[in-house]
Amino acid sequence: MEVDLVIRNATVATASDILPNQDIVVKDERILCLGQGLSALFKARREIDAEGAFVTPGGIDSHVHLHQDNSPTGDTFATGTRSAIAGGTTTILAFASQERTDESLFPVVEEYHRRSAGQSYCDYGFHLILTNPTPKILQQELPVLVKDEGISSVKLYMTYQPLKLVDRQILDVMTSTRALGMTTMVHAENSDMIDWITERLEERRMTDPYYHAVSRPNIAEDEATYRVISLSELMDIPILIVHMSSKIAAAHVRKAQTRLLPIHAETCPHYLFFKSDRLRGEHFEGAKCVCSPPLREDQMDLDAMWQGLKNGTFTTFSSDHAPSKFDHPQGKKAGLVNGTTSFRKIPNGLPGLETRVPVLFSGGVLKDKISIQKFVELTSSNPAKLYGLDKKGTIAPGFDADLVIWYPSSRKMTPFALTNDMLHHDIDYTPFEGMEFENWPRWTILRGSIVWDRENGGIVGQMGYGRYLKRGRSTLSKPREVFVNEFRPY
């Protein structure tokens, strides 16, 4: 049989197993079979010798902000997904963001389709950010978007004045998302605490970037996390709390999980490696690391994030790629006007789409902080299950041939210190500048096609090869069927 691709001598890593000496056979964009000694049975248009290296499923970054109006200097779908494949990510889930004045979600989704169509190097889908959840939207529009667009997740904010919902609105949304089997994501910080502290810092002219972290203390995340877990328990609905950074907040999640509540959580690379002292520095450099929740002051919070990755508190590991250029008046330097600083005006967010997978591989797997199986679970398998990507997230027959081939121990990649000019985003800095990497994706393969070849041209995929993904229901985040039938709005 003629096939498209055979990868020989692979050490296949999934969320449950390590399988050495495997051949992976790819035909018509899917994995046809894998096993030992298969390469002699097939005539392949192309063969790759993995030389015993780990082969992992393509990364799924389920928390990515691209081409959003509130980030005019950020990445587009073209530049963001270009950087994704260079870092071993083959699928992203980006946000279609509703403005407070939008009375319908349909034009919002149409607009994000216009921004992304033909622009993506990798496969992609949308989450909906809900800021104006009217009865019409919740009862009439969401069912259509689930059915026709395959959008099976929403994100809610408990902070930021243009975005936040009060508890009653969150409960209204939960009623509909529960009935539809949608995954409900929540940014959990106490908005009133943050605003109160911010006003008092400004009165004292304590407005340098470092005070952004002071204005958003751990307790603001801890309280909001506990509160949204309580709302979830009231509604008996699964939720995902995004980009967690606090030890106590993570402990709230862990305690809820031990009571068998369907609470999922996510953390990000910057909460593993950086502390709030990164917000200090001359020449406004600290603005580069302004994000929300902020980087934390105490090492115990970073250690707790690692612990949460290992013990299952965190279901997914995402970049929260929400970058703004640094040296631009509409970027991070919007917080610097005529020599006067204002952390309130600094756009929140960091670049991290390209570095997410390599950071956890080099800084986690190769440092024996997590296993390769846990790495696959966090970066690929769990996001696929959580967000209804039923052909993604593992290496098995019938699944999309989304694969990352690493460098083998017998042919070690020369370690290097990362610089921003090595990356493929459209941002003028990386918070991981200077970090040493001992491995990086050698090849990235999307649906059987090589899109990244580190030693032969780098980006070899084509813009527009990435497809929009209509997603199904989550297999991790499901309400009980009796309630699905009772609350279904259509």
Side-chain angles (χ1 to χ4, degrees), residues 163-452:
L163 301 170
K164 76 171 184 176
L165 304 181
V166 297
D167 291 355
R168 184 187 182 100
Q169 290 175 301
I170 293 173
L171 291 172
D172 286 340
V173 173
M174 285 180 169
T175 301
S176 292
T177 57
R178 188 182 192 288
L180 293 165
M182 301 181 80
T183 298
T184 304
M185 309 159 69
V186 184
H187 177 144
E189 288 184 288
N190 185 303
S191 181
D192 289 334
M193 284 186 186
I194 293 165
D195 290 345
W196 187 89
I197 297 170
T198 297
E199 289 171 7
R200 276 140 190 83
L201 289 171
E202 289 176 336
E203 287 171 1
R204 292 162 175 79
R205 298 182 181 178
M206 302 168 78
T207 56
D208 287 345
Y210 175 76
Y211 292 102
H212 170 83
V214 176
S215 74
R216 308 179 89 96
N218 288 51
I219 196 170
E221 182 181 351
D222 303 341
E223 186 280 330
T225 297
Y226 183 86
R227 178 158 43 102
V228 77
I229 289 172
S230 300
L231 298 176
S232 168
E233 186 173 11
L234 173 68
M235 296 301 296
D236 191 23
I237 181 176
I239 59 171
L240 173 86
I241 303 172
V242 297
H243 47 49
M244 298 194 72
S245 66
S246 166
K247 177 181 179 178
I248 293 176
H252 289 326
V253 171
R254 187 67 174 166
K255 185 175 181 180
Q257 291 169 341
T258 62
R259 293 195 293 121
L260 303 183
L261 296 179
I263 307 300
H264 301 282
E266 161 199 285
T267 194
C268 308
H270 38 286
Y271 301 126
L272 301 179
F273 293 97
F274 305 140
K275 294 196 293 185
S276 60
D277 57 7
R278 293 289 295 261
L279 296 170
R280 298 187 186 275
E282 299 178 353
H283 310 300
F284 203 61
E285 290 287 324
K288 292 179 177 179
C289 288
V290 166
C291 59
S292 295
L295 305 180
R296 296 304 179 189
E297 180 180 8
D298 200 309
Q299 182 64 37
M300 72 174 186
D301 291 303
L302 281 68
D303 294 340
M305 298 305 101
W306 279 109
Q307 185 66 26
L309 291 178
K310 288 186 284 189
N311 68 20
T313 300
F314 297 119
T315 305
T316 63
F317 180 74
S318 303
S319 68
D320 189 13
H321 182 79
S324 296
K325 288 183 175 66
F326 172 68
D327 194 15
H328 193 287
Q330 291 180 289
K332 294 290 187 179
K333 286 191 174 178
L336 181 63
V337 181
N338 297 324
T340 301
T341 60
S342 174
F343 68 78
R344 189 199 286 263
K345 296 179 181 179
I346 300 171
N348 278 233
L350 306 177
L353 180 49
E354 186 168 347
T355 48
R356 176 190 70 114
V357 171
V359 158
L360 194 60
F361 193 91
S362 279
V365 176
L366 298 185
K367 301 298 184 185
D368 294 322
K369 291 187 174 182
I370 61 168
S371 67
I372 186 68
Q373 296 99 318
K374 179 61 72 172
F375 166 85
V376 171
E377 178 185 316
L378 290 163
T379 61
S380 189
S381 296
N382 274 356
K385 295 172 185 176
L386 187 68
Y387 293 108
L389 295 162
D390 60 358
K391 296 300 181 184
K392 305 285 189 182
T394 194
I395 300 175
F399 281 73
D400 283 357
D402 296 350
L403 306 164
V404 177
I405 305 175
W406 300 84
Y407 281 85
S409 56
S410 61
R411 189 183 185 279
K412 282 189 175 181
M413 184 195 78
T414 302
F416 67 92
L418 185 72
T419 60
N420 189 61
D421 60 9
M422 297 176 180
L423 300 177
H424 297 78
H425 57 202
D426 188 33
I427 306 301
D428 56 3
Y429 76 98
T430 172
F432 295 98
E433 184 86 25
M435 179 176 285
E436 185 169 281
F437 287 81
E438 298 178 31
N439 212 322
W440 195 275
R442 189 177 179 186
W443 287 284
T444 302
I445 296 169
L446 171 60
R447 287 182 277 108
S449 293
I450 298 170
V451 293
W452 165 256

